[in-house]
mmCIF file of all heavy atoms in Angstrom:
data_model
loop_
_atom_site.group_PDB
_atom_site.id
_atom_site.type_symbol
_atom_site.label_atom_id
_atom_site.label_comp_id
_atom_site.label_asym_id
_atom_site.label_seq_id
_atom_site.Cartn_x
_atom_site.Cartn_y
_atom_site.Cartn_z
ATOM 1 N N LEU A 117 179.944 90.212 42.932
ATOM 2 C CA LEU A 117 178.830 89.246 42.908
ATOM 3 C C LEU A 117 179.248 87.861 42.408
ATOM 4 O O LEU A 117 178.980 86.854 43.058
ATOM 5 C CB LEU A 117 177.684 89.797 42.057
ATOM 6 C CG LEU A 117 176.419 88.938 41.976
ATOM 7 C CD1 LEU A 117 175.831 88.655 43.352
ATOM 8 C CD2 LEU A 117 175.367 89.611 41.089
ATOM 9 N N LYS A 118 179.946 87.822 41.262
ATOM 10 C CA LYS A 118 180.341 86.503 40.756
ATOM 11 C C LYS A 118 181.240 85.797 41.774
ATOM 12 O O LYS A 118 181.187 84.578 41.942
ATOM 13 C CB LYS A 118 181.062 86.650 39.407
ATOM 14 C CG LYS A 118 181.336 85.315 38.753
ATOM 15 C CD LYS A 118 182.093 85.426 37.460
ATOM 16 C CE LYS A 118 182.464 84.039 36.979
ATOM 17 N NZ LYS A 118 183.579 84.065 36.043
ATOM 18 N N SER A 119 182.053 86.580 42.480
ATOM 19 C CA SER A 119 182.953 86.009 43.492
ATOM 20 C C SER A 119 182.169 85.257 44.568
ATOM 21 O O SER A 119 182.631 84.236 45.086
ATOM 22 C CB SER A 119 183.743 87.130 44.167
ATOM 23 O OG SER A 119 182.864 87.966 44.907
ATOM 24 N N VAL A 120 180.993 85.767 44.903
ATOM 25 C CA VAL A 120 180.185 85.145 45.963
ATOM 26 C C VAL A 120 179.688 83.780 45.474
ATOM 27 O O VAL A 120 179.684 82.796 46.223
ATOM 28 C CB VAL A 120 179.027 86.085 46.375
ATOM 29 C CG1 VAL A 120 178.146 85.432 47.428
ATOM 30 C CG2 VAL A 120 179.587 87.409 46.895
ATOM 31 N N PHE A 121 179.303 83.721 44.208
ATOM 32 C CA PHE A 121 178.954 82.429 43.597
ATOM 33 C C PHE A 121 180.176 81.510 43.599
ATOM 34 O O PHE A 121 180.113 80.358 44.047
ATOM 35 C CB PHE A 121 178.442 82.656 42.165
ATOM 36 C CG PHE A 121 178.459 81.431 41.300
ATOM 37 C CD1 PHE A 121 177.535 80.403 41.493
ATOM 38 C CD2 PHE A 121 179.399 81.296 40.286
ATOM 39 C CE1 PHE A 121 177.563 79.260 40.701
ATOM 40 C CE2 PHE A 121 179.431 80.159 39.482
ATOM 41 C CZ PHE A 121 178.508 79.142 39.693
ATOM 42 N N ASN A 122 181.316 82.036 43.111
ATOM 43 C CA ASN A 122 182.531 81.209 42.992
ATOM 44 C C ASN A 122 182.913 80.579 44.337
ATOM 45 O O ASN A 122 183.138 79.368 44.431
ATOM 46 C CB ASN A 122 183.717 82.064 42.523
ATOM 47 C CG ASN A 122 183.581 82.551 41.088
ATOM 48 O OD1 ASN A 122 182.765 82.024 40.325
ATOM 49 N ND2 ASN A 122 184.371 83.544 40.715
ATOM 50 N N CYS A 123 183.002 81.425 45.364
ATOM 51 C CA CYS A 123 183.507 80.944 46.663
ATOM 52 C C CYS A 123 182.473 80.065 47.363
ATOM 53 O O CYS A 123 182.828 79.039 47.952
ATOM 54 C CB CYS A 123 183.891 82.123 47.557
ATOM 55 S SG CYS A 123 185.240 83.110 46.887
ATOM 56 N N SER A 124 181.202 80.467 47.289
ATOM 57 C CA SER A 124 180.168 79.685 47.983
ATOM 58 C C SER A 124 180.048 78.298 47.357
ATOM 59 O O SER A 124 179.955 77.286 48.070
ATOM 60 C CB SER A 124 178.815 80.407 47.918
ATOM 61 O OG SER A 124 178.931 81.701 48.456
ATOM 62 N N GLN A 125 180.067 78.238 46.030
ATOM 63 C CA GLN A 125 179.958 76.926 45.391
ATOM 64 C C GLN A 125 181.154 76.043 45.759
ATOM 65 O O GLN A 125 181.024 74.845 45.965
ATOM 66 C CB GLN A 125 179.847 77.063 43.874
ATOM 67 C CG GLN A 125 179.403 75.756 43.244
ATOM 68 C CD GLN A 125 179.414 75.807 41.739
ATOM 69 O OE1 GLN A 125 180.436 76.103 41.121
ATOM 70 N NE2 GLN A 125 178.277 75.531 41.146
ATOM 71 N N ALA A 126 182.324 76.689 45.886
ATOM 72 C CA ALA A 126 183.542 75.925 46.176
ATOM 73 C C ALA A 126 183.546 75.330 47.584
ATOM 74 O O ALA A 126 184.234 74.351 47.832
ATOM 75 C CB ALA A 126 184.766 76.828 45.980
ATOM 76 N N VAL A 127 182.784 75.913 48.528
ATOM 77 C CA VAL A 127 182.806 75.388 49.905
ATOM 78 C C VAL A 127 181.571 74.572 50.259
ATOM 79 O O VAL A 127 181.591 73.817 51.232
ATOM 80 C CB VAL A 127 182.940 76.520 50.971
ATOM 81 C CG1 VAL A 127 184.183 77.352 50.716
ATOM 82 C CG2 VAL A 127 181.698 77.400 51.048
ATOM 83 N N VAL A 128 180.508 74.720 49.488
ATOM 84 C CA VAL A 128 179.225 74.196 49.963
ATOM 85 C C VAL A 128 179.207 72.662 50.038
ATOM 86 O O VAL A 128 178.615 72.088 50.953
ATOM 87 C CB VAL A 128 178.056 74.784 49.132
ATOM 88 C CG1 VAL A 128 177.849 74.053 47.827
ATOM 89 C CG2 VAL A 128 176.793 74.834 49.959
ATOM 90 N N ARG A 129 179.906 72.004 49.122
ATOM 91 C CA ARG A 129 179.912 70.533 49.156
ATOM 92 C C ARG A 129 180.529 70.025 50.467
ATOM 93 O O ARG A 129 180.010 69.113 51.112
ATOM 94 C CB ARG A 129 180.695 69.985 47.945
ATOM 95 C CG ARG A 129 180.509 68.491 47.730
ATOM 96 C CD ARG A 129 181.341 68.017 46.555
ATOM 97 N NE ARG A 129 180.960 68.641 45.296
ATOM 98 C CZ ARG A 129 179.971 68.201 44.511
ATOM 99 N NH1 ARG A 129 179.304 67.122 44.859
ATOM 100 N NH2 ARG A 129 179.682 68.818 43.396
#
Side-chain angles (χ1 to χ4, degrees):
L117 183 57
K118 187 182 173 201
S119 66
V120 178
F121 162 73
N122 292 344
C123 297
S124 304
Q125 194 186 56
V127 303
V128 82
R129 192 182 298 275

